[in-house]
Amino acid sequence: MSHPLLFVDVDGPLNPFRAAPSDLEGYTSHRMRPEGWEYPAQPLDVRLNPDHGEELLALPYELVWATTWEHEANTMIGPVLGLPELPVVELPGWADAEHGLFFKTAVLAEYAQGRPFAWIDDGITERDRVWLARNHVADVLAHRIDPAVGLWEKDFDLLAEWPPALAALDFPG
Ligand SMILES: [Mg+2]
């Protein structure tokens, strides 16, 4: 069986934009000008931990970008982390979400085509988790990351442990 998908958001999990810079050990600072950034006169301060690429690649998932950076995640973020080019989910605008859901939720379920997936994002709420449990036929781990902290050891541990739990469900006894 192929690995589950892991949908990866940039701002929040990889770029903890609400953290005090002094709290971010192991991070490097970058000034970037992504096309979708709403204040093009000002570069965006992005803080990334170069170790996160290797840690993500070590997880038993197929990584997919699920971020408003879209294809610029591959050209701007991935190279800093040492990630290869990854598939990208193309996202609708913020206003297009229904049922009070986060705007990515239904799009990711559609992209997964019935496959199990994990998702790390600072925008996930309980409403998204409930909707996914009711509407996605396979298992989902929708894991909210605090944008004041970013991805942390316990998050990698949780992600590493989740797929074996699925395997146990697939092959009882
Ligand atoms: Mg985010």
mmCIF file of all heavy atoms in Angstrom, residues 9-13 17 102 104 121-123, ligand 1:
data_model
loop_
_atom_site.group_PDB
_atom_site.id
_atom_site.type_symbol
_atom_site.label_atom_id
_atom_site.label_comp_id
_atom_site.label_asym_id
_atom_site.label_seq_id
_atom_site.Cartn_x
_atom_site.Cartn_y
_atom_site.Cartn_z
ATOM 1 N N ASP A 9 1.530 22.904 4.973
ATOM 2 C CA ASP A 9 1.356 24.357 4.882
ATOM 3 C C ASP A 9 2.708 25.015 5.186
ATOM 4 O O ASP A 9 3.550 24.431 5.877
ATOM 5 C CB ASP A 9 0.299 24.771 5.923
ATOM 6 C CG ASP A 9 0.041 26.263 5.930
ATOM 7 O OD1 ASP A 9 0.202 26.916 4.875
ATOM 8 O OD2 ASP A 9 -0.335 26.775 7.009
ATOM 9 N N VAL A 10 2.919 26.223 4.687
ATOM 10 C CA VAL A 10 4.191 26.934 4.936
ATOM 11 C C VAL A 10 4.049 27.878 6.139
ATOM 12 O O VAL A 10 4.739 27.715 7.153
ATOM 13 C CB VAL A 10 4.646 27.713 3.678
ATOM 14 C CG1 VAL A 10 5.810 28.640 4.025
ATOM 15 C CG2 VAL A 10 5.045 26.740 2.570
ATOM 16 N N ASP A 11 3.184 28.886 6.030
ATOM 17 C CA ASP A 11 3.088 29.897 7.095
ATOM 18 C C ASP A 11 2.336 29.328 8.286
ATOM 19 O O ASP A 11 1.167 28.975 8.182
ATOM 20 C CB ASP A 11 2.401 31.156 6.553
ATOM 21 C CG ASP A 11 3.232 31.826 5.472
ATOM 22 O OD1 ASP A 11 4.445 31.994 5.688
ATOM 23 O OD2 ASP A 11 2.682 32.132 4.410
ATOM 24 N N GLY A 12 3.014 29.238 9.390
ATOM 25 C CA GLY A 12 2.463 28.564 10.577
ATOM 26 C C GLY A 12 3.366 27.385 10.934
ATOM 27 O O GLY A 12 4.169 27.464 11.850
ATOM 28 N N PRO A 13 3.288 26.283 10.181
ATOM 29 C CA PRO A 13 4.114 25.112 10.515
ATOM 30 C C PRO A 13 5.610 25.291 10.232
ATOM 31 O O PRO A 13 6.439 24.997 11.091
ATOM 32 C CB PRO A 13 3.527 24.007 9.630
ATOM 33 C CG PRO A 13 2.126 24.434 9.343
ATOM 34 C CD PRO A 13 2.188 25.936 9.258
ATOM 35 N N PHE A 17 5.208 32.421 12.063
ATOM 36 C CA PHE A 17 5.214 33.877 11.912
ATOM 37 C C PHE A 17 4.780 34.604 13.179
ATOM 38 O O PHE A 17 4.972 35.805 13.281
ATOM 39 C CB PHE A 17 4.344 34.283 10.709
ATOM 40 C CG PHE A 17 2.914 33.811 10.789
ATOM 41 C CD1 PHE A 17 1.941 34.605 11.368
ATOM 42 C CD2 PHE A 17 2.549 32.572 10.272
ATOM 43 C CE1 PHE A 17 0.623 34.174 11.453
ATOM 44 C CE2 PHE A 17 1.235 32.128 10.348
ATOM 45 C CZ PHE A 17 0.266 32.918 10.945
ATOM 46 N N PHE A 102 -12.479 26.043 6.845
ATOM 47 C CA PHE A 102 -11.250 26.666 6.373
ATOM 48 C C PHE A 102 -11.202 26.468 4.850
ATOM 49 O O PHE A 102 -11.641 25.428 4.344
ATOM 50 C CB PHE A 102 -10.075 25.969 7.068
ATOM 51 C CG PHE A 102 -8.733 26.596 6.817
ATOM 52 C CD1 PHE A 102 -8.554 27.966 6.840
ATOM 53 C CD2 PHE A 102 -7.626 25.784 6.587
ATOM 54 C CE1 PHE A 102 -7.305 28.526 6.631
ATOM 55 C CE2 PHE A 102 -6.368 26.334 6.389
ATOM 56 C CZ PHE A 102 -6.216 27.703 6.399
ATOM 57 N N LYS A 104 -9.130 25.608 2.701
ATOM 58 C CA LYS A 104 -8.380 24.516 2.070
ATOM 59 C C LYS A 104 -9.056 23.147 2.245
ATOM 60 O O LYS A 104 -8.759 22.216 1.501
ATOM 61 C CB LYS A 104 -6.982 24.408 2.702
ATOM 62 C CG LYS A 104 -6.114 25.639 2.541
ATOM 63 C CD LYS A 104 -4.761 25.405 3.219
ATOM 64 C CE LYS A 104 -3.944 26.673 3.275
ATOM 65 N NZ LYS A 104 -2.654 26.456 3.983
ATOM 66 N N ASP A 121 -1.239 22.401 9.507
ATOM 67 C CA ASP A 121 -1.655 23.751 9.114
ATOM 68 C C ASP A 121 -2.063 24.501 10.383
ATOM 69 O O ASP A 121 -2.629 23.902 11.301
ATOM 70 C CB ASP A 121 -2.864 23.630 8.158
ATOM 71 C CG ASP A 121 -3.071 24.865 7.305
ATOM 72 O OD1 ASP A 121 -3.279 25.961 7.873
ATOM 73 O OD2 ASP A 121 -3.033 24.735 6.085
ATOM 74 N N ASP A 122 -1.811 25.809 10.395
ATOM 75 C CA ASP A 122 -2.246 26.605 11.549
ATOM 76 C C ASP A 122 -3.715 27.016 11.428
ATOM 77 O O ASP A 122 -4.272 27.566 12.382
ATOM 78 C CB ASP A 122 -1.372 27.865 11.696
ATOM 79 C CG ASP A 122 -1.402 28.730 10.453
ATOM 80 O OD1 ASP A 122 -1.153 28.189 9.348
ATOM 81 O OD2 ASP A 122 -1.694 29.932 10.567
ATOM 82 N N GLY A 123 -4.341 26.739 10.293
ATOM 83 C CA GLY A 123 -5.717 27.212 10.088
ATOM 84 C C GLY A 123 -6.799 26.192 10.399
ATOM 85 O O GLY A 123 -7.983 26.486 10.270
HETATM 86 MG MG MG B 1 -0.764 28.771 7.415
#
